[in-house]
Amino acid sequence: SPFINSRDLDQSQQYDGKTMALFEEEMDTSPMVSSLLSSLANYSNLPTGSKEHEEAENNEEGPRPSKKPVKAPQLGTLMGVYLPCIQNIFGVILFLRMTWMVGIGGVLGSFIIVFMCCSTTMLTAISMSAIATNGVVPAGGSYYMISRSLGPEFGGAVGICFYLGTTFAGAMYILGCIEILLIYIVPQMAIFKIEGLEGPEAELALLNNMRVYGTIVLSFMSLVVFVGVKYVNKLALAFLACVILSIVAVYAGVIKTAIDPPVFPVCLLGNRTLLSKGYDVCAKVVEVDNETVTTKLWRTFCDSDTLNATCDEYFADNDVTEIQGIPGVTSGILAENLFGNYLEKGMFLEKRGVASEVNADAPPTNSNRYVLSDITSFFTLLVGIYFPSVTGIMAGSNRSGDLRDAQKSIPIGTIAAITTTSIVYMSTVVLFGACIEGVVLRDKFGEGVSGNLVIGTLAWPSPWVIVFGSFFSTCGAGLQSLTGAPRLLQAISRDGIIPFLRVRHRSVYAVKLFLFILKVFGHGKANGEPTWALLLTACICEIGIIIASLDAVAPILSMFFLMCYMFVNLACALQTLLRTPNWRPRFKFYHWALSFLGMSLCLSLMFICSWYYAIVAMGIATCIYKYIEFCGAEKEWGDGIRGISLSAARFALMRLEEGPPHTKNWRPQILVLASVDAEQNVEQPRLLSLANQLKAGKGLTIVGTSVQGTFLDNYAEAQRADQSLRKLMETEKVKGFSQVVISSNLRDGTSHLIQVGGLGGLKHNTVLVSWPRNWKHPEHHQQFRNFIEVVRETTVASLALLVPKNISSYPSNGERFTEGHIDVWWIVHDGGMLMLLPFLLRQHKVWRKCKMRIFTVAQMDDNSIQMKKDLITFLYHLRIDAAVEVVEMHDGDISAYTYEKTLIMEQRSQILKQMHLTKNEMEREIQSITDSSRGSIRRKNPPAPRSRHSVDGGAGVAEQPEDEVQLIHSKNASTPTSPVGPGAAAGPNAPAGEREKAKAPAPANPEAGKDLFNMKPEWEHFPVDVRRMHTAMRLNEVIVKKSKEAKLVLLNMPGPPKNRVGNENYMEFLEVLTEGLNRVLLVRGGGREVITIYS
């Protein structure tokens, strides 16, 4: 194996060099340079399937009997590249359609067509030479080059198109073979007789004959290929000799015409060409023994053989003349054939410059006596029919596995073959126009020259040289196509780039079916011949046989070959412009501009030939490309498309660095902070579902997590966590990136993710983190501290923050809400995040049928009616449909329950700080905290007039703290205690309306309760925590009342405390604020406007 991690050599041989002791530890993975060079020197290209496929088979199917050693390739430039290209380029079009093309398009038009097509193939050959000399090209030829240069998606699409083109080429060659056989060699073999038929009936009979004999010949050729490709290869030289001999005979005939032109008379009636089988003498009457006798031609156009018979009007008004079909190269006929003469189907073949009298009002009669045009001709049709005659330039690269020096032979042999064939084509265009009469050139089947092949009339010494030469040439080309196409399909299937050939389904039956399909197209006989692929190729080839018209099949395969050549040029251009380090071709005579010119010519010729065929071919390629892309191409070949993606990404990132995005372009680029368990599985998978619903597949999404430890010790855990993230992202259909950070503690790891996530201008602007579960439990106190640090860091970094509470109750991507509301509580302006997020959610199918409601809070000094009008106007300009409601919330009395919650909150805060104390110290500390808390509240709140809450709410203050503290202490000290009192009845889970109604047993000191709660001081005189708790409770009451049944509630998230002393209090405030709500999304803006009313 030529790869660096090769294990083919005996391990003991790697340690022979005692002087390399410094590198002993690396010998297991990195071989010595000497062994690597030895492997490369012994590397040989195998036939189609390549060595890596055989290695894969050996690994899958176990050891096999030892195979015969593969012979080193011995073919040089002449036999390996030049002559195969000559044989494939010269073909059926040259012998059957070239003269007709010159007659229809004229010498100038035909020369332009030939020049365009030959220029296209020459530019493609230059690009192909650059790719072929950029490293070793195993067998597979153009498919291998395109797939490795443009990636598996393009490789699969173009590979299938190239396969179809090669298959239809086989059909075209077979149809040409049958046409020569039935029209020029043995017309008597026709099963459906054409004699006596006219118009469509005669055409249908000819097509049916082509179908029957084409199917027979296809079956015979497939059998020959199945028996053994070696017989095809042995006959290749004989077929090539027929081609060369035929071309030499044509040139010899041209020279002969200058000395002694051959006699091929053509009979004209007026200026119309007559069928040669319709007359014996080119005259109306002849003199026999001084007597005028009518001829066969007379009897054809008249109702009797007498001189006074009633004859066809055109026959009576015009004379019969005989002209020479091959006037010779010195006759000056070139001037007459210089310009085109395009015909409609059924038109007469008329000679230019010859007058004829035609009654315009009389309908044409006896049209079956003349030579007629069989199809409507135009310039683009000629291009489509001619282009297959320049294909075949890949024949040399397809044999790269058999070449002694492919990097030297492919460029020289291919370019030399194209040069030779181009010279032949261009010269024959001029010579045909200079030697052959125009009406004979336009006579596609030689009906005016006794049924001879038109190009055969020019050949020397006999027309039969061309007839038999072209017959065997087309037979050989058909066999070559049936040999090459199955091998190409075999290479594609073994590469595994077509997803339906890969085993990815869970069903056992599906696995067996796909394994069978893979073996069908990837394997064959014991010697590696693709038997089943040959069967499929023959079936597709039969489609072309059923079409039965050479002129209809030629444009089809032109499309597929042109598409293949276009992507060869594209591959070379991309590799040149990207300047990838591995792009070092030995062939230096290339340039990206030439490749782009070749690509443009290919694309232009596709639409010139047939715009609808071009659209169909491109549609097939696009469907295959998107199918491979959608299913996920598993191959990575370092192709140019990956390179251009990197270049485009770099360019886009540099553009993003120029400044922040405009408000109109702002969208949440989300960093999802996920946590993983001990098995490295994601604990909150619904976080990714919410991210997908917010993004709708657009923008940037980074799913990050942190692993505790060191990079050296915990790298494997990080890899497992990354795989778990990727798997979950694929399941939840989140398009984005995963990122795992290893840090000494989770807090620092999360901070690192927030700081370094993204790249350049493509960074996250929103952080999505789940609400910490069970944060009140002492063993989880670090979770909420980390959470609050995340809130602080996002605030400092000006990042938006989304905190879903009760994330497990959020819908998955497969659920659908058929009704309901998304409620937005807009309390403070946050840049418009609260407006934008519901709009984005409603783009997803989960939330699409939910309606949006916006609530805002009006205080004592606000005009609620005007606020509602302004909000409706604002939403109208934002183009957001939502119901609007303004909630009036005035300053109310602070309830006893508010004091109670505040006191408990402060006690818990101080107790958690003393967790490191011993049990006895903790009990003393709890008692001192309780006493100091009571005294603090008494000092901060002097007596005031009695309030209506004094009797109802004063009871629980003396009793409840001990019960609550005892409850917390019992959980830590493992002392089971059941609390009693109002804390249990009106705890955090009690309905909001029952909190102030909770009554406790009589207090030990009733006066203390009265002093504490029989007061109504000014608002600013209350402690900060009491005021915040009061706001949280009042807001919660209103939100629960209005939005308890809402599918989702979006709420402004208050800012974190400036110092870390109040962390626990902050969490308690948020808990009270969201109490009693199922799904809450706390939103904190990033400090910039994210939505605008302007277009």
Side-chain angles (χ1 to χ4, degrees):
S1 173
F3 303 107
I4 290 179
N5 291 331
S6 174
R7 300 295 183 90
D8 294 342
L9 299 178
D10 186 8
Q11 292 289 335
S12 62
Q13 297 178 7
Q14 298 182 4
Y15 296 94
D16 289 343
K18 302 300 183 183
T19 58
M20 292 292 113
L22 182 62
F23 299 95
E24 282 181 359
E25 294 183 357
E26 300 184 23
M27 291 292 184
D28 291 335
T29 57
S30 302
M32 292 291 296
V33 173
S34 58
S35 61
L36 173 66
L37 294 177
S38 175
S39 300
L40 290 173
N42 294 329
Y43 176 72
S44 61
N45 294 335
L46 298 181
T48 302
S50 110
K51 180 176 288 187
E52 56 188 304
H53 298 305
E54 287 199 2
E55 291 174 353
E57 290 176 12
N58 292 336
N59 293 334
E60 293 173 2
E61 302 175 14
R64 293 185 174 183
S66 58
K67 300 180 180 180
K68 296 181 180 179
V70 180
K71 294 182 179 179
Q74 298 295 331
L75 293 179
T77 303
L78 181 66
M79 297 300 296
V81 181
Y82 180 77
L83 292 180
C85 285
I86 290 287
Q87 181 184 2
N88 280 267
I89 295 174
F90 286 138
V92 62
I93 301 297
L94 171 63
F95 301 116
L96 297 183
R97 294 292 183 269
M98 181 65 90
T99 54
W100 174 78
M101 185 184 78
V102 175
I104 295 292
V107 174
L108 285 179
S110 302
F111 193 88
I112 292 172
I113 293 173
V114 172
F115 181 78
M116 277 198 309
C117 296
C118 291
S119 298
T120 301
T121 54
M122 179 60 77
L123 292 172
T124 303
I126 292 173
S127 300
M128 183 191 69
S129 299
I131 298 174
T133 58
N134 187 52
V136 178
V137 179
S142 56
Y143 159 70
Y144 182 92
M145 291 187 290
I146 293 172
S147 60
R148 268 58 176 182
S149 298
L150 295 181
E153 296 90 353
F154 277 108
V158 180
I160 293 296
C161 288
F162 191 49
Y163 164 75
L164 293 174
T166 306
T167 304
F168 275 100
M172 184 189 71
Y173 291 130
I174 292 173
L175 290 174
C177 172
I178 301 303
E179 183 177 312
I180 295 170
L181 181 69
L182 292 182
I183 296 179
Y184 304 112
I185 299 179
V186 279
Q188 299 80 10
M189 287 181 61
I191 298 174
F192 300 91
K193 300 300 180 182
I194 304 177
E195 297 294 334
L197 299 178
E198 299 181 9
E201 295 179 353
E203 182 180 356
L204 181 62
L206 176 62
L207 295 180
N208 288 333
N209 285 321
M210 301 283 282
R211 293 183 180 111
V212 172
Y213 281 103
T215 303
I216 295 172
V217 172
L218 173 63
S219 303
F220 175 74
M221 287 186 174
S222 300
L223 182 62
V224 171
V225 174
F226 174 76
V227 169
V229 179
K230 59 182 180 180
Y231 300 109
V232 178
N233 294 331
K234 289 179 179 179
L235 292 172
L237 286 178
F239 294 141
L240 176 59
C242 294
V243 174
I244 296 175
L245 184 62
S246 300
I247 295 173
V248 171
V250 171
Y251 280 103
V254 170
I255 298 173
K256 173 79 164 43
T257 61
I259 305 170
D260 182 18
V263 179
F264 279 100
V266 177
C267 191
L268 301 178
L269 177 59
N271 61 358
R272 298 177 182 176
T273 309
L274 293 170
L275 289 174
S276 57
K277 63 183 178 181
Y279 63 90
D280 50 1
V281 178
C282 186
K284 294 181 180 180
V285 293
V286 293
E287 294 289 335
V288 179
D289 298 330
N290 296 324
E291 182 180 354
T292 302
V293 180
T294 57
T295 62
K296 181 181 178 181
L297 186 61
W298 179 279
R299 294 188 292 272
T300 301
F301 286 93
C302 301
D303 58 1
S304 68
D305 56 359
T306 62
L307 293 175
N308 58 357
T310 302
C311 297
D312 180 81
E313 182 178 357
Y314 184 83
F315 179 78
D317 294 342
N318 294 275
D319 297 329
V320 175
T321 57
E322 186 178 71
I323 61 173
Q324 186 59 256
I326 311 292
V329 71
T330 59
S331 63
I333 197 69
L334 179 63
E336 184 180 324
N337 295 329
L338 204 56
F339 300 102
N341 188 5
Y342 298 99
L343 303 173
E344 295 288 335
K345 183 176 181 179
M347 288 181 62
F348 302 107
L349 266 61
E350 299 176 345
K351 178 173 171 55
R352 290 176 177 172
V354 177
S356 65
E357 295 184 9
V358 182
N359 185 357
D361 297 330
T365 57
N366 294 302
S367 58
N368 60 326
R369 308 293 185 255
Y370 305 101
V371 180
L372 304 176
S373 172
D374 65 322
I375 59 172
T376 300
S377 55
F378 40 89
F379 180 81
T380 57
L381 175 71
L382 300 184
V383 177
I385 292 176
Y386 172 74
F387 188 81
S389 66
V390 297
T391 59
I393 62 173
M394 301 290 187
S397 61
N398 290 340
R399 296 173 178 235
S400 55
D402 301 323
L403 300 175
R404 187 184 307 116
D405 187 355
Q407 297 189 17
K408 175 184 176 183
S409 298
I410 289 177
I412 297 175
T414 305
I415 293 176
I418 294 176
T419 303
T420 303
T421 54
S422 299
I423 292 173
V424 171
Y425 282 135
M426 292 179 187
S427 62
T428 51
V429 166
V430 177
L431 293 176
F432 289 162
C435 295
I436 305 176
E437 175 62 49
V439 291
V440 179
L441 287 173
R442 289 186 287 277
D443 187 359
K444 182 185 293 186
F445 302 109
E447 294 173 304
V449 285
S450 304
N452 283 296
L453 184 62
V454 174
I455 193 175
T457 61
L458 188 62
W460 181 87
S462 169
W464 291 104
V465 175
I466 292 290
V467 171
F468 284 106
S470 58
F471 176 77
F472 289 115
S473 171
T474 52
C475 289
L479 285 171
Q480 292 289 343
S481 297
L482 291 178
T483 303
R487 290 169 173 261
L488 181 59
L489 183 62
Q490 183 186 46
I492 295 172
S493 63
R494 284 185 170 180
D495 264 343
I497 60 174
I498 305 296
F500 76 81
L501 295 178
R502 298 201 306 263
V503 181
R504 296 186 61 174
H505 293 256
R506 298 177 182 175
S507 171
V508 176
Y509 298 104
V511 169
K512 291 181 178 179
L513 174 62
F514 286 114
L515 276 173
F516 172 73
I517 295 175
L518 181 64
K519 290 184 178 180
V520 162
F521 297 116
H523 299 273
K525 295 190 295 185
N527 60 357
E529 295 300 330
T531 306
W532 290 101
L534 173 63
L535 179 61
L536 178 64
T537 302
C539 293
I540 297 175
C541 191
E542 180 64 22
I543 297 175
I545 299 297
I546 292 173
I547 295 174
S549 173
L550 183 68
D551 300 326
V553 173
I556 296 176
L557 66 100
S558 295
M559 294 300 110
F560 293 123
F561 279 120
L562 279 167
M563 184 171 293
C564 177
Y565 296 165
M566 180 176 70
F567 282 108
V568 169
N569 286 292
L570 176 62
C572 180
L574 282 183
Q575 298 280 26
T576 306
L577 290 175
L578 292 175
R579 299 179 181 177
T580 53
N582 192 53
W583 180 247
R584 303 184 302 273
R586 290 186 178 276
F587 182 78
K588 302 298 182 182
F589 304 101
Y590 69 93
H591 194 270
W592 64 267
L594 294 177
S595 299
F596 268 115
L597 178 60
M599 184 180 68
S600 303
L601 277 174
C602 290
L603 186 62
S604 301
L605 286 175
M606 286 179 66
F607 284 92
I608 288 173
C609 293
S610 175
W611 63 268
Y612 45 88
Y613 278 164
I615 291 175
V616 171
M618 295 178 73
I620 293 173
T622 302
C623 290
I624 298 172
Y625 177 93
K626 297 305 292 183
Y627 174 65
I628 298 174
E629 182 185 51
F630 177 77
C631 294
E634 296 181 353
K635 296 293 182 179
E636 172 56 55
W637 289 319
D639 50 85
I641 295 299
R642 299 294 188 275
I644 199 172
S645 299
L646 290 173
S647 298
R650 180 185 61 83
F651 176 78
L653 287 173
M654 297 300 292
R655 288 292 303 272
L656 289 175
E657 282 288 301
E658 295 176 2
H662 191 273
T663 303
K664 291 184 289 186
N665 296 326
W666 195 94
R667 65 172 69 242
Q669 317 284 13
I670 299 179
L671 169 63
V672 183
L673 295 179
S675 57
V676 294
D677 56 20
E679 301 297 326
Q680 310 306 324
N681 295 319
V682 179
E683 293 181 338
Q684 304 100 0
R686 290 295 170 86
L687 269 180
L688 272 72
S689 301
L690 178 61
N692 180 46
Q693 294 159 21
L694 278 170
K695 302 296 294 181
K698 304 294 191 300
L700 173 71
T701 302
I702 302 175
V703 182
T705 190
S706 56
V707 175
Q708 188 169 355
T710 62
F711 187 79
L712 294 178
D713 297 335
N714 301 92
Y715 180 73
E717 294 180 22
Q719 291 296 101
R720 289 198 300 273
D722 186 66
Q723 291 297 324
S724 177
L725 291 180
R726 289 176 183 271
K727 184 177 180 180
L728 184 60
M729 290 172 68
E730 183 178 357
T731 302
E732 298 294 340
K733 298 180 180 179
V734 174
K735 296 181 179 180
F737 310 98
S738 61
Q739 191 168 1
V740 179
V741 171
I742 303 175
S743 181
S744 57
N745 59 78
L746 299 180
R747 167 83 285 279
D748 290 343
T750 305
S751 178
H752 295 159
L753 284 172
I754 295 175
Q755 294 178 58
V756 303
L759 178 63
L762 193 63
K763 293 179 67 69
H764 56 273
N765 53 30
T766 305
V767 176
L768 177 62
V769 60
S770 179
W771 177 263
R773 295 179 301 172
N774 305 322
W775 65 271
K776 293 183 180 180
H777 294 177
E779 60 269 21
H780 296 115
H781 71 279
Q782 189 60 39
Q783 288 186 2
F784 78 81
R785 290 176 179 170
N786 292 346
F787 171 77
I788 296 177
E789 289 302 309
V790 170
V791 179
R792 288 195 176 99
E793 288 174 356
T794 55
T795 303
V796 171
S798 299
L799 300 175
L801 179 66
L802 308 179
V803 182
K805 198 161 181 280
N806 302 326
I807 186 63
S808 59
S809 66
Y810 277 64
S812 65
N813 292 327
E815 297 181 38
R816 304 285 186 279
F817 287 135
T818 57
E819 57 182 1
H821 294 91
I822 299 176
D823 287 356
V824 177
W825 284 84
W826 192 21
I827 301 171
V828 296
H829 181 57
D830 57 352
M833 281 286 290
L834 283 172
M835 305 293 173
L836 185 62
L837 292 177
F839 171 78
L840 295 176
L841 282 173
R842 292 181 69 235
Q843 306 303 307
H844 197 274
K845 53 191 174 182
V846 173
W847 305 92
R848 187 165 294 154
K849 295 187 178 180
C850 292
K851 296 181 179 179
M852 182 176 169
R853 297 188 300 190
I854 296 181
F855 299 88
T856 188
V857 177
Q859 298 186 17
M860 182 72 71
D861 300 332
D862 295 328
N863 185 342
S864 58
I865 298 177
Q866 187 61 39
M867 280 182 64
K868 184 172 182 178
K869 291 181 179 179
D870 294 341
L871 184 53
I872 292 174
T873 304
F874 180 58
L875 293 177
Y876 175 78
H877 289 303
L878 287 177
R879 292 88 64 198
I880 293 178
D881 296 327
V884 174
E885 184 173 345
V886 177
V887 179
E888 295 184 353
M889 205 174 85
H890 305 299
D891 293 339
D893 297 336
I894 297 180
S895 66
Y897 187 69
T898 303
Y899 282 105
E900 179 185 320
K901 293 287 290 186
T902 308
L903 179 62
I904 294 172
M905 177 184 68
E906 291 184 350
Q907 289 173 349
R908 180 188 292 111
S909 175
Q910 295 190 40
I911 288 171
L912 289 175
K913 295 175 184 176
Q914 305 296 329
M915 292 299 295
H916 64 282
L917 301 178
T918 64
K919 180 177 179 181
N920 294 332
E921 291 172 336
M922 187 182 300
E923 292 175 351
R924 291 195 299 270
E925 186 68 21
I926 290 172
Q927 184 62 43
S928 64
I929 290 171
T930 306
D931 296 339
S932 62
S933 298
R934 292 175 186 156
S936 173
I937 293 179
R938 291 192 185 99
R939 287 192 300 273
K940 293 179 181 178
N941 298 279
R946 296 171 57 89
S947 71
R948 64 179 180 274
H949 298 286
S950 60
V951 177
D952 296 336
V957 177
E959 294 284 325
Q960 174 64 18
E962 286 85 355
D963 293 335
E964 184 69 21
V965 170
Q966 181 65 25
L967 174 63
I968 297 173
H969 172 61
S970 66
K971 291 180 181 179
N972 292 279
S974 301
T975 304
T977 305
S978 298
V980 293
N989 297 324
E994 297 179 4
R995 293 171 184 156
E996 298 188 15
K997 296 181 181 178
K999 293 184 178 181
N1005 187 359
E1007 295 298 327
K1010 293 179 181 179
D1011 292 342
L1012 183 61
F1013 293 112
N1014 293 344
M1015 54 188 177
K1016 189 176 181 182
E1018 296 297 328
W1019 177 255
E1020 61 271 7
H1021 292 162
F1022 286 106
V1024 175
D1025 287 345
V1026 176
R1027 284 183 283 156
R1028 289 177 176 170
M1029 182 64 72
H1030 176 70
T1031 303
M1033 293 180 63
R1034 290 295 305 276
L1035 271 176
N1036 178 257
E1037 290 176 7
V1038 177
I1039 294 173
V1040 169
K1041 180 179 178 181
K1042 298 285 185 181
S1043 302
K1044 189 172 182 62
E1045 301 301 324
K1047 300 300 181 184
L1048 179 65
V1049 177
L1050 283 83
L1051 182 64
N1052 284 117
M1053 183 177 183
K1058 294 182 179 179
N1059 54 53
R1060 290 174 172 79
V1061 175
N1063 283 354
E1064 297 83 359
N1065 300 352
Y1066 177 69
M1067 296 295 294
E1068 189 69 42
F1069 293 144
L1070 296 181
E1071 194 73 63
V1072 171
L1073 181 63
T1074 58
E1075 189 175 350
L1077 300 172
N1078 185 22
R1079 300 186 192 93
V1080 183
L1081 183 61
L1082 296 173
V1083 180
R1084 185 162 175 78
R1088 62 160 294 169
E1089 295 293 328
V1090 300
I1091 196 168
T1092 177
I1093 65 175
Y1094 300 104
S1095 61

